[in-house]
Amino acid sequence: MFSLENALYIQAGLGVLANMCLLVFYIFMVLGHRPKPMDLISCQQTFIHIMLFFTAGDILHTDIFESMNIENDFKCKTTFYICRVMRGLSICTTCLLSVFQAVTISPNTSLLAKFKHKLKKYTINAFFYIWSFNLSFSSNLIFYVGAYTNVSETNQMKVTKYCSLFPMNYIIRGLILTVTTSRDVFLVGVMLITSTYMVIILFRHQRQCKHLHSIRHLRASPEKRATQTILLLVIFFVVMYWVDFIISSTSVLLWMYDPVILTVQKFVMNAYPTITPLVQISSDNRIINLLKNLQSKCH
């Protein structure tokens, strides 16, 4: 158990550091240049991932909140609510990335081509809708979470070191689970459809390039690299998200959380926010060129 918790903190440290570096880069891109819609989405996604690391575990409780004279119940409700909002925003922004990349690489003859020049406008609108939706959607659980009192008669289910879920009847529990599952299935379905569409476009493009004997141009295509990166992240996200969802749903239905399973779930939940910035940094030529320039200046 000790080694699992150590691995969790190492993972969180690596994830926060990588996301912080990526966030700084995207802030400079947004403020100093004409940002692409994908940059705006990635910047927001990076911020969401940083917040997830601070709220998904006990980091806020142990390092920040303990230095303040705030009631444990308020701490739990605040961190749990922010965590649920960020978790919902994470799946929404990943879905948004997939949809917008599909529109970006769509052929000029397709139905999606007419949306290409309005992507920036749609990005701002999409941000407003997904934030409004998730802020309201996650508010229902505030009434069922609070400070852990260590009283077995209350039948609490411990979800973090200091917080627990209070008992709720089967109808409310089933309703919350059904609505959450419906949202997640819909968004994952959209991701899979757009990912399949992007794979088909890449396959057609590769056939055309082979036919024209310009495979070198295909390999150098930034659109192809960006699409492959997003496809990789979408696949990884879908796998990690559903592993996390199965663990949490089973625990809520059975009303039982084993400490080891809780730690494993946190590790799985933090895997995507940890891998994403590393993949984005290694695949974005702008970041690679910036790092090379900094390295040459240092030498």
Side-chain angles (χ1 to χ4, degrees):
M1 186 64 187
F2 180 75
S3 59
L4 276 174
E5 287 184 350
N6 277 351
L8 195 64
Y9 277 100
I10 291 169
Q11 181 196 43
L14 177 63
V16 169
L17 181 63
N19 278 288
M20 285 285 193
C21 293
L22 195 61
L23 183 62
V24 169
F25 170 77
Y26 280 127
I27 288 172
F28 277 113
M29 287 299 299
V30 170
L31 296 178
H33 302 79
R34 292 181 63 185
K36 301 175 183 177
M38 304 302 286
D39 290 335
L40 294 172
I41 299 171
S42 296
C43 182
Q44 179 180 248
Q45 186 184 51
T46 305
F47 169 75
I48 290 165
H49 288 167
I50 292 169
M51 291 302 296
L52 263 177
F53 278 113
F54 282 110
T55 55
D58 299 320
I59 298 175
L60 272 179
H61 288 290
T62 54
D63 295 342
I64 299 175
F65 276 153
E66 285 198 358
S67 62
M68 303 178 185
N69 189 22
I70 300 174
E71 290 185 6
N72 284 336
D73 197 58
F74 178 77
K75 298 176 192 177
C76 291
K77 288 183 186 296
T78 303
T79 52
F80 191 82
Y81 174 68
I82 295 172
C83 180
R84 299 306 297 182
V85 171
M86 294 301 144
R87 193 171 179 271
L89 286 170
S90 180
I91 188 172
C92 287
T93 50
T94 305
C95 182
L96 204 61
L97 268 176
S98 183
V99 171
F100 275 45
Q101 186 62 25
V103 174
T104 302
I105 67 166
S106 61
N108 292 328
T109 54
S110 71
L111 293 172
L112 295 175
K114 62 182 180 181
F115 299 108
K116 284 186 181 183
H117 303 295
K118 297 180 181 179
L119 279 183
K120 195 168 183 178
K121 176 187 173 183
Y122 292 141
T123 305
I124 306 301
N125 292 339
F127 285 170
F128 174 76
Y129 288 125
I130 64 174
W131 274 88
S132 300
F133 173 75
N134 283 286
L135 285 169
S136 58
F137 183 82
S138 303
S139 60
N140 55 359
L141 283 172
I142 292 177
F143 304 105
Y144 298 101
V145 69
Y148 184 67
T149 58
N150 200 25
V151 179
S152 57
E153 286 79 7
T154 58
N155 196 24
Q156 300 171 68
M157 184 174 72
K158 199 172 182 181
V159 290
T160 68
K161 187 177 180 181
Y162 299 100
C163 300
S164 62
L165 279 174
F166 298 135
M168 58 184 84
N169 65 52
Y170 290 106
I171 297 173
I172 294 174
R173 201 187 304 177
L175 184 63
I176 291 172
L177 193 60
T178 302
V179 174
T180 306
T181 306
S182 301
R183 179 200 64 182
D184 294 350
V185 168
F186 172 75
L187 292 171
V188 169
V190 172
M191 283 188 232
L192 294 176
I193 291 169
T194 52
S195 298
T196 305
Y197 177 72
M198 286 189 281
V199 169
I200 292 169
I201 290 175
L202 285 179
F203 179 72
R204 287 177 179 172
H205 188 206
Q206 190 168 359
R207 269 199 319 184
Q208 290 170 358
C209 288
K210 281 182 178 178
H211 181 68
L212 297 170
H213 305 287
S214 58
I215 193 68
R216 187 178 176 183
H217 170 72
L218 176 67
R219 286 175 182 166
S221 168
E223 289 83 8
K224 185 189 176 185
R225 276 197 302 272
T227 305
Q228 287 176 331
T229 301
I230 290 171
L231 284 171
L232 176 65
L233 292 177
V234 165
I235 292 168
F236 186 71
F237 177 85
V238 170
V239 173
M240 291 296 103
Y241 195 89
W242 283 108
V243 171
D244 171 38
F245 183 79
I246 289 167
I247 294 172
S248 58
S249 300
T250 305
S251 300
V252 170
L253 286 173
L254 298 177
W255 205 251
M256 180 183 65
Y257 246 132
D258 183 80
V260 176
I261 292 175
L262 184 60
T263 306
V264 170
Q265 186 196 2
K266 289 177 185 176
F267 192 85
V268 170
M269 189 165 61
N270 289 343
Y272 178 72
T274 304
I275 296 297
T276 299
L278 299 175
V279 172
Q280 288 177 316
I281 289 169
S282 62
S283 62
D284 194 326
N285 276 342
R286 297 171 300 175
I287 301 176
I288 294 169
N289 292 333
L290 178 65
L291 293 174
K292 284 179 179 179
N293 289 335
L294 289 173
Q295 187 180 16
S296 62
K297 285 180 181 179
C298 289
H299 286 304

